Amino acid sequence: MNLVDPANPPSRKAPIVWAVGAAIPWLVLVIAQLVWFTLAGQLMWVHWLAMAATLVGIVVSVVVAPLWRYRVHRWDISPEAVYTRTGWLVQERRIAPISRVQTVDTQRGPLDRLFGLANVTVTTASSAGAVRIVALDSEVADRVVAQLTDIAALGEQDAT
């Protein structure tokens, strides 16, 4: 098997989707802090400290993490295997031999549908779990599913 460094990035819209998805819980926390500030006006230094910690968390998870993930996330498909590289703090590289592919699925969550993205999950006969190719343009995801299905159908081995 020829080991390939995955070359294909997610969609250019991926960082936006990841940022919006990360921003939603932070918005809830900001609202809770505003209510807390309004109802309990004493100990202002605690409010300022909580606000500073929240702002750092927002910058890291809404700005830094999506951009870093976009720089790291890669995928590729060859006639022999599906290759992925994911993560931002902890990075993982997965190689799933085509001969082990059992199913290929597409998922589109609400944010994915809003931005025209999809995720492809390649389930293999492996205890390590499925290989996920995330944040692809919907058309690209459809082509990937068709390509994997065609390659797997040509294989002579059973994936069980």
Side-chain angles (χ1 to χ4, degrees):
M1 180 185 310
N2 183 19
L3 296 179
V4 175
D5 193 27
N8 300 309
S11 169
R12 290 187 175 270
K13 297 180 267 186
I16 297 167
V17 173
W18 294 333
V20 170
I24 293 169
W26 286 107
L27 180 60
V28 172
L29 181 61
V30 167
I31 291 169
Q33 285 181 339
L34 289 173
V35 169
W36 175 47
F37 177 76
T38 304
L39 297 178
Q42 64 270 17
L43 296 174
M44 290 303 289
W45 69 272
V46 175
H47 292 288
W48 287 108
L49 185 63
M51 185 186 336
T54 299
L55 287 175
V56 168
I58 288 171
V59 168
V60 169
S61 64
V62 176
V63 178
V64 175
L67 293 174
W68 186 259
R69 281 178 70 190
Y70 183 77
R71 290 179 55 98
V72 171
H73 279 228
R74 294 290 181 267
W75 64 274
D76 221 328
I77 299 170
S78 76
E80 295 86 28
V82 178
Y83 306 87
T84 61
R85 188 178 67 206
T86 60
W88 70 285
L89 280 180
V90 176
Q91 296 179 14
E92 177 182 54
R93 184 170 179 198
R94 300 276 311 270
I95 302 169
I98 293 295
S99 63
R100 307 288 284 170
V101 172
Q102 292 181 325
T103 61
V104 181
D105 302 304
T106 306
Q107 300 88 28
R108 293 175 174 95
L111 286 177
D112 297 324
R113 288 192 305 272
L114 182 66
F115 286 92
L117 300 181
N119 304 297
V120 175
T121 302
V122 180
T123 306
T124 63
S126 166
S127 62
V131 174
R132 291 191 41 140
I133 305 172
V134 298
L136 299 177
D137 289 313
S138 290
E139 303 79 32
V140 173
D142 292 342
R143 282 197 309 269
V144 166
V145 169
Q147 181 182 3
L148 284 171
T149 303
D150 289 345
I151 293 171
L154 294 174
E156 303 132 12
Q157 300 173 358
D158 185 11
T160 55

